[in-house]
Amino acid sequence: MSTNKNRINIVNKRARFEYQLLDKYVAGIQLGGTEIKSIRLGKASILEAFCVIENNEVYLRNMHIAEYGNASFYQHKAKADRKLLLNRKEINKLDKKMKTKGFTIVPLRIFINEKGYAKVEIALAQGKKLYDKRQDLKEKDDQRAMDRIKKAY
């Protein structure tokens, strides 16, 4: 149905900088008609999004999906909670870890799989300290410098 040129890949770059990622999961996402159409147009943001567990279900909060332009009065809310579809084992494992202080669940990217379904890659994460962030920036700068030197020769 979808071709390679129509691939949607909405990434949360800040998550890798702000958090140390431990376990990664791929979850389905329960969406309405106009929501999936907006995602297919690439009009979504997960920069401020995070996941919560309520009643043994995982929800994605603060994910922004822009309103679909061609919709009539059946429009979705831009920042509504969206249910993530995970196995019971995965939810229980995440719930157990979430009760430990300092852990959170952050979305890393949204993509459309081969069957045309929207999927969210989420990760169990622990917040980084300021010195860890500085260390990451330093390593990134060093790697760029090394690449520049290699390219010169």
Side-chain angles (χ1 to χ4, degrees), residues 5-60:
K5 64 179 180 174
N6 291 335
R7 287 275 175 233
I8 300 300
N9 193 17
I10 300 164
V11 180
N12 185 357
K13 290 182 181 178
R14 191 187 302 171
R16 295 183 195 282
F17 180 70
E18 297 281 337
Y19 300 99
Q20 177 183 357
L21 306 176
L22 304 174
D23 291 339
K24 292 182 185 176
Y25 300 93
V26 175
I29 183 167
Q30 187 173 329
L31 298 170
T34 56
E35 292 173 321
I36 187 65
K37 290 179 180 184
S38 288
I39 287 177
R40 284 198 176 119
L41 291 175
K43 297 184 183 270
S45 171
I46 55 172
L47 203 59
E48 299 169 0
F50 61 96
C51 297
V52 293
I53 299 176
E54 292 176 357
N55 301 329
N56 286 329
E57 294 178 338
V58 182
Y59 291 95
L60 189 59

Side-chain angles (χ1 to χ4, degrees), residues 60-79:
L60 189 59
R61 286 226 170 112
N62 272 355
M63 175 181 159
H64 182 271
I65 299 177
E67 291 188 351
Y68 184 61
N70 296 335
S72 59
F73 53 89
Y74 294 113
Q75 197 59 262
H76 65 272
K77 293 180 189 169
K79 283 213 173 194

Side-chain angles (χ1 to χ4, degrees), residues 68-133:
Y68 184 61
N70 296 335
S72 59
F73 53 89
Y74 294 113
Q75 197 59 262
H76 65 272
K77 293 180 189 169
K79 283 213 173 194
D81 289 356
R82 276 126 187 140
K83 184 178 175 182
L84 297 183
L85 309 172
L86 288 162
N87 292 331
R88 176 67 48 213
K89 274 186 194 175
E90 293 171 331
I91 294 172
N92 291 339
K93 188 176 179 183
L94 286 170
D95 194 27
K96 192 187 298 181
K97 286 283 191 178
M98 283 282 290
K99 290 181 175 148
T100 308
K101 189 179 179 206
F103 286 104
T104 188
I105 305 171
V106 292
L108 300 178
R109 69 184 182 115
I110 298 174
F111 61 97
I112 307 287
N113 70 358
E114 301 82 38
K115 293 182 181 178
Y117 295 125
K119 300 285 185 177
V120 180
E121 185 178 354
I122 59 173
L124 184 67
Q126 192 171 25
K128 285 185 183 177
K129 304 281 188 237
L130 185 61
Y131 56 84
D132 289 336
K133 292 178 192 176

